[in-house]
Amino acid sequence: MQFYISILTFTLISVIAVTGIYVLTGLTGMFSLGQAAFMAIGAYVSGFLVVKAGVPFVLAAIIAVVISVIVGYIVGLPTVRLRRDYISLVTLGFGEAITALLNQTQSITGGALGFSGIPKITTLPLALISAIVCIVLVSYLKNSKYGRQCIAARSDELAAKAMGINVPRIKMTAFLIAVAVTSYAGVLYAFFTTYVDPGIFGWKKSAEWVIMVFFGGVSSLTGSIFGTIILTALPEVLRFAADYRTVFYAVLVLLIINFKPTGLFGEYELSVGNLLRRLSGKKEERSNA
Amino acid sequence: MSIQIIINGLAVGSVYALIATGFSLIFNILKFSNFSHGALMTLSAFIGYFFAVKTGSSLIPVIIVSMLAGGLVAYIGEFVAFRKITLRSTSPVYYFVSSITLGTLYEGIVTIWVGPNFYNYPRFFQSMVVNIGGFVISKPDLIMFISSCLALALLVIFIQKTRLGRALRSVSFDRDTAGLMGINVFGIIQLAFFISGALAGLSGVFLGINYTLYPQLGNLVVKGFIASVIGGLGSIFGAVVGAILLGLTETLLINFVGSGYAPVFSFLIMLAFLLIRPQGIAGSNVQEKA
């Protein structure tokens, strides 16, 4: 039972991170390869504050997210005005820089050995509530004016600019939302595993999240979440060797990109209303035939 | 002492230049950042390593085998991961995901194949240093620098002076028009991938000699990316200048503060460049095209 609860919690933490990626990649069409580094900042800062400075958990979490957002602003500042390739390249460099920094500052972070002794505060209900709150907020965001501006900027940046949308600002906001959400996932992660080390926050992790979003469907929030749950939980339950897992992922995603490039869900959002509409629509089609 | 640092910086920079050029070739022709380049470097470096161990051959055959292997894998990779996207000519985001996935696949294959261990190339040289005019210079550094320069010079001659090179440039400029002019567009794209893969193989072997060989060696590709950002995305000339500049600054800084901080420096250099001169040294297009 303990095993399944732990898998479920990990999956929920991944879901939280992926809702952030969805805002960045799904809505705005930018790719970050340093997202895991922001998770690392969230994890290390909050862990450090609680363990070394005795700050209460909630306050530590807030400070960690705020610091991540400030760092994210500095990283995003030169890149949001440029081609989208730049944000991927810059965040990739940023991720490597953070990993190197964590490895080097041994006296503070424990270096490559990791930072341990973090109290276990994250529970399944906390992860579940956080995940639900994140999903609800992001789905509101998608349907808001801001969300539509994001989608416009993703589809055609020039046209969006011509319509008077401030594209660099839209991109920056999306990036910062993603950073905040991911670093919060990092806080939850640190206080669940009670131990963090720099190795797990490399660009591979960020790439894995992008793959998850694409697996489910890049334009669909529920699709992205579905993809995350499948790709996180299934291999854990089936206990694949970790090495084979990445190869398995990669082949799966290559197949999807070649044969169904919009992902499993495409533009479709899973919701009660859409389900009913689909069911009734099918019935109508049948009666027409 | 200082001459040695400069030589070392030039050698490191020239390997970064190889990475950045391989990356820029693909960026030019298909307008996307090829994130599988790093893992391809690792894969072909390992193929070279096992060839060296099995046959006990010297450095030159190992390099040739690695380059051929890298070229072939890139050739197949183009067919598997990018062909359909190019034909469909939909959103460039699919290139991005495809290249990341392809990189993950290569790295996964390498990890399954060799395990998470570290490997060392056999010693190719009797003595590790040469003495030129009173300066003691590390031999691998010298060979790295000379062969990188040679490879880059050959590439530039090929692109600027030959018929195929002209076709390559015209496909980079406008794929559809080039096709109408009777150029075999996909043949040229495959050629570009082959050359890029061969460059990845070459740089992989050099990185393997310079550091050690392990499945995550490809992470060093970040240096190549940073070099091409500094130089201006898509410009081969800019990439080379950016790479040499990055190699020199990094080596100088490392000498003062220690090698562990190298990624931090290269990131800060890139950030500073993007703030001051976002179009890079060569001044490429940095805005999203309509």
Side-chain angles (χ1 to χ4, degrees), chain A residues 270-284:
Chain A
L270 190 66
S271 71
V272 181
N274 276 348
L275 266 181
L276 286 177
R277 217 170 299 145
R278 203 181 169 97
L279 284 175
S280 58
K282 276 199 175 148
K283 265 180 200 157
E284 271 166 30

Side-chain angles (χ1 to χ4, degrees), chain A residues 228-248:
Chain A
T228 313
I229 294 172
I230 295 275
L231 289 184
T232 321
L234 206 65
E236 292 281 351
V237 174
L238 298 177
R239 281 272 150 197
F240 279 131
D243 297 341
Y244 285 93
R245 192 169 78 184
T246 49
V247 172
F248 173 71

Side-chain angles (χ1 to χ4, degrees), chain A residues 14-256:
Chain A
S14 286
V15 166
I16 295 171
V18 163
T19 52
I21 309 278
Y22 174 76
V23 174
L24 192 71
T25 307
L27 285 185
T28 329
M30 294 186 291
F31 291 90
S32 166
L33 287 177
Q35 217 53 26
F38 290 110
M39 191 180 191
I41 295 179
Y44 271 93
V45 169
S46 60
F48 183 80
L49 284 175
V50 169
V51 174
K52 298 270 170 79
V55 177
F57 172 68
V58 178
L59 188 62
I62 292 170
I63 295 175
V65 171
V66 168
I67 288 180
S68 302
V69 169
I70 293 170
V71 175
Y73 185 76
I74 297 168
V75 174
L77 196 60
T79 51
V80 287
R81 290 175 189 282
L82 310 174
R83 287 177 67 105
R84 272 167 230 189
D85 300 83
Y86 279 94
I87 199 147
S88 321
L89 294 169
V90 169
T91 48
L92 181 61
F94 173 71
E96 294 294 303
I98 289 291
T99 313
L101 208 59
L102 290 175
N103 274 320
Q104 287 301 306
T105 48
Q106 198 148 16
S107 52
I108 308 169
T109 61
L113 296 173
F115 185 74
S116 54
I118 305 168
K120 188 164 181 144
I121 294 177
T122 308
T123 53
L124 183 60
L126 176 63
L128 187 65
I129 291 167
S130 309
I132 290 173
V133 168
C134 284
I135 292 170
V136 169
L137 284 180
V138 169
S139 69
Y140 268 111
L141 199 67
K142 186 187 174 183
N143 296 318
S144 70
K145 185 182 165 196
Y146 171 74
R148 289 197 301 274
Q149 288 180 337
C150 283
I151 294 172
R154 183 193 69 186
S155 314
D156 190 334
E157 202 167 312
L158 207 65
K161 273 182 188 158
M163 300 305 285
I165 296 171
N166 187 346
V167 174
R169 212 177 81 198
I170 293 278
K171 280 174 157 180
M172 181 59 108
T173 320
F175 184 56
L176 293 185
I177 291 172
V179 165
V181 171
T182 321
S183 69
Y184 179 63
V187 174
L188 291 181
Y189 180 85
F191 286 86
F192 183 68
T193 55
T194 70
Y195 163 83
V196 281
D197 72 285
I200 49 174
F201 298 116
W203 75 275
K204 281 283 289 296
K205 190 89 199 160
S206 315
E208 216 170 81
W209 284 334
V210 171
I211 290 173
M212 284 173 183
V213 168
F214 259 80
F215 178 76
V218 71
S219 304
S220 160
L221 176 61
T222 38
S224 306
I225 293 165
F226 178 77
T228 313
I229 294 172
I230 295 275
L231 289 184
T232 321
L234 206 65
E236 292 281 351
V237 174
L238 298 177
R239 281 272 150 197
F240 279 131
D243 297 341
Y244 285 93
R245 192 169 78 184
T246 49
V247 172
F248 173 71
Y249 270 10
V251 172
L252 208 63
V253 174
L254 280 180
L255 283 176
I256 284 193

Side-chain angles (χ1 to χ4, degrees), chain B residues 14 19 41 48 50 61 90 115 131 144 148 162 176 180 182 197 205 208 212 222 232 234 277 290:
Chain B
S14 63
I19 305 173
M41 278 169 16
F50 282 108
T90 44
N131 205 325
M144 236 160 29
S148 304
T162 64
D176 296 333
L180 291 175
V205 172
T212 45
V222 178
R277 192 176 159 80

Side-chain angles (χ1 to χ4, degrees), chain B:
Chain B
M1 181 65 189
S2 60
I3 288 286
Q4 255 166 287
I5 295 174
I6 290 172
I7 299 265
N8 185 248
L10 283 175
V12 173
S14 63
V15 177
Y16 292 171
L18 287 181
I19 305 173
T21 326
F23 170 79
S24 292
L25 266 178
I26 304 300
F27 188 88
N28 263 332
I29 205 153
L30 290 180
K31 309 285 178 285
F32 80 100
S33 310
N34 183 11
F35 285 97
S36 66
H37 201 74
L40 184 60
M41 278 169 16
T42 324
L43 186 60
S44 35
F46 265 106
I47 292 173
Y49 168 79
F50 282 108
F51 176 77
V53 171
K54 279 260 162 60
T55 62
S57 66
S58 62
L59 182 61
I60 305 292
V62 171
I63 287 178
I64 292 171
V65 165
S66 280
M67 286 178 78
L68 280 178
L72 275 178
V73 174
Y75 182 88
I76 298 166
E78 188 272 334
F79 188 74
V80 172
F82 306 122
R83 176 61 61 86
K84 268 211 156 176
I85 305 173
T86 316
L87 282 174
R88 227 187 271 125
S89 66
T90 44
S91 170
V93 294
Y94 294 116
Y95 282 123
F96 184 95
V97 181
S98 236
S99 72
I100 285 193
T101 316
L102 200 63
T104 321
L105 184 65
Y106 292 156
E107 198 180 313
I109 290 171
V110 170
T111 316
I112 290 173
W113 183 27
V114 302
N117 305 323
F118 288 73
Y119 293 79
N120 273 314
Y121 270 107
R123 286 174 65 107
F124 290 116
F125 319 109
Q126 292 301 317
S127 72
M128 289 304 275
V129 290
V130 280
N131 205 325
I132 300 173
F135 295 115
V136 180
I137 294 163
S138 131
K139 208 168 183 179
D141 275 1
L142 201 65
I143 288 177
M144 236 160 29
F145 183 64
I146 292 171
S147 21
S148 304
C149 289
L150 199 68
L152 290 174
L154 283 176
L155 184 72
V156 169
I157 292 171
F158 171 75
I159 290 178
Q160 295 296 338
K161 299 289 176 199
T162 64
R163 220 178 135 77
L164 271 177
R166 199 186 305 147
L168 190 84
R169 278 183 289 148
S170 84
V171 172
S172 304
F173 191 71
D174 187 336
R175 201 157 65 219
D176 296 333
T177 315
L180 291 175
M181 297 294 137
I183 292 168
N184 178 0
V185 172
F186 278 100
I188 294 294
I189 292 177
Q190 281 172 334
L191 178 73
F193 268 90
F194 186 85
I195 298 174
S196 159
L199 288 173
L202 184 61
S203 44
V205 172
F206 285 150
L207 287 177
I209 292 174
N210 208 14
Y211 305 98
T212 45
L213 210 51
Y214 57 103
Q216 281 80 36
L217 180 75
N219 286 357
L220 287 167
V221 77
V222 178
K223 314 281 189 188
F225 291 167
I226 291 177
S228 47
V229 167
I230 293 176
L233 275 189
S235 155
I236 287 179
F237 165 75
V240 172
V241 177
I244 299 286
L245 208 66
L246 183 70
L248 280 174
T249 357
E250 220 183 65
T251 327
L252 281 175
L253 284 172
I254 284 170
N255 223 49
F256 292 118
V257 217
S259 67
Y261 286 105
V264 184
F265 291 136
S266 27
F267 171 69
L268 290 178
I269 294 170
M270 170 168 70
L271 212 58
F273 243 93
L274 281 181
L275 279 170
I276 300 162
R277 192 176 159 80
Q279 65 272 45
I281 296 168
S284 61
N285 55 328
V286 289
Q287 294 283 338
E288 206 86 39
K289 261 194 198 160

